[in-house]
Amino acid sequence: MTKPIVAVPADIRVFDGATWHAVQHQYVRAALNAAGVMSFIIPAFEEGYDTDTILDRVDGVLVSGSASNVHPSLYGRQATEADGPFDPARDATSLPLIRRSIERAIPLLAICRGIQELNVALGGTLASEIQEQPGISDHRKPPNVDRDAMYAVRQTVFVKEGSCIAGIVGSGEVLVNSLHRQAIAQTAPRLQVEAVAEDGTIEAVSVIDAPAFAVGVQWHPEYWAETDKPSNQIFQAFGDAVRDYAAGKLADTRTKQIA
């Protein structure tokens, strides 16, 4: 059986004056080597897409992290310089894919910027520069270190017993690599909080009553997906859900052919 395929929305990047549609290597590598699925990188455009046409051709959606942030106008706030940088084409591509994948019971894994997009897509809000809030730790990347040290597994999150994430990595304390300066403020009505940091910052959510796997994590399981057990378990669970969806599509096609 051929590997199933997941859609990965791209970021807009400019190199040497040329515009690129890009996804970081770690995400597509983790999809291939840990989840066991192939990736289609979906170009980012502000208009002109037929979301269902994309979803008709894939078996899952992986929404990656990014250096950019969701534009505050999408959750009812006026943008300030502190909220940036922005990528409106990424917003316009990802948010409809998130909503429709949930509606169509297509497995969804949202990471870092992805969990923030998931929250906004379903009606929640975000907070910027959370380290400036009383009682909130500094979740930003440590300065002056290489990438492996930057993404080291060193932060504790508390996974709620009985949650979807607990069914994957276990409940209680789990060490992760969470790096961010924005976070969920008001949780979308359809989201259940699955894990929090020691300071109460939301670190994982799932979609309430979702008909398929629909999980968001603020940390970066993609970076150590082949060597860190909890990171690997998250991608394996996503891959299993994608394979189940693909098998169901294949069975439906065969049934229609026989009929």
Side-chain angles (χ1 to χ4, degrees):
M1 181 178 176
T2 58
K3 283 185 171 68
I5 297 169
V6 299
V8 186
D11 301 323
I12 293 295
R13 291 285 183 267
V14 177
F15 301 107
D16 295 328
T19 300
W20 296 68
H21 298 261
V23 172
Q24 286 190 51
H25 173 69
Q26 285 90 349
Y27 293 95
V28 292
R29 175 172 176 159
L32 179 64
N33 294 339
V37 300
M38 301 293 292
S39 300
F40 278 175
I41 296 176
I42 307 302
F45 287 101
E46 291 189 58
E47 57 185 5
Y49 261 151
D50 181 344
T51 300
D52 281 311
T53 298
I54 297 169
L55 293 175
D56 286 344
R57 288 159 171 79
V58 300
D59 309 299
V61 175
L62 172 60
V63 189
S64 71
S66 174
S68 66
N69 295 319
V70 180
H71 199 279
S73 63
L74 295 169
Y75 49 93
R77 271 188 44 199
Q78 185 172 356
T80 69
E81 186 176 345
D83 295 315
F86 303 122
D87 186 345
R90 161 77 183 249
D91 294 339
T93 303
S94 291
L95 269 64
L97 280 172
I98 289 169
R99 295 188 190 103
R100 283 298 288 153
S101 65
I102 295 168
E103 291 169 0
R104 292 181 53 167
I106 297 172
L108 169 72
L109 175 58
I111 296 172
C112 194
R113 187 195 210 268
I115 190 179
Q116 296 170 13
E117 289 173 299
L118 172 60
N119 190 53
V120 171
L122 298 182
T125 65
L126 305 177
S128 297
E129 306 300 345
I130 60 170
Q131 71 280 353
E132 298 176 1
Q133 297 181 10
I136 301 299
S137 302
D138 193 342
H139 294 252
R140 293 175 297 177
K141 298 175 182 178
N144 304 318
V145 296
D146 63 27
R147 288 188 68 80
D148 283 357
M150 185 183 300
Y151 284 88
V153 176
R154 60 177 171 268
Q155 297 103 328
T156 300
V157 299
F158 298 89
V159 179
K160 295 187 177 182
E161 187 174 355
S163 65
C164 177
I165 291 289
I168 299 170
V169 303
S171 60
E173 295 185 15
V174 177
L175 283 175
V176 302
N177 51 350
S178 189
L179 304 166
H180 56 105
R181 61 186 180 87
Q182 285 198 320
I184 291 174
Q186 180 180 356
T187 308
R190 289 193 65 192
L191 291 185
Q192 171 177 284
V193 176
E194 302 251 322
V196 297
E198 293 178 286
D199 60 6
T201 300
I202 295 171
E203 291 284 341
V205 297
S206 66
V207 179
I208 298 169
D209 296 327
F213 185 100
V215 167
V217 296
Q218 185 62 70
W219 66 86
H220 287 274
E222 81 287 346
Y223 201 88
W224 303 108
E226 297 172 58
T227 56
D228 174 63
K229 185 177 179 180
S231 299
N232 184 266
Q233 288 171 322
I234 289 171
F235 269 89
Q236 282 194 1
F238 176 57
D240 289 343
V242 171
R243 278 182 286 277
D244 288 345
Y245 179 83
K249 279 203 314 186
L250 182 61
D252 288 344
T253 299
R254 288 174 176 170
T255 300
K256 291 176 182 178
Q257 290 174 342
I258 294 171

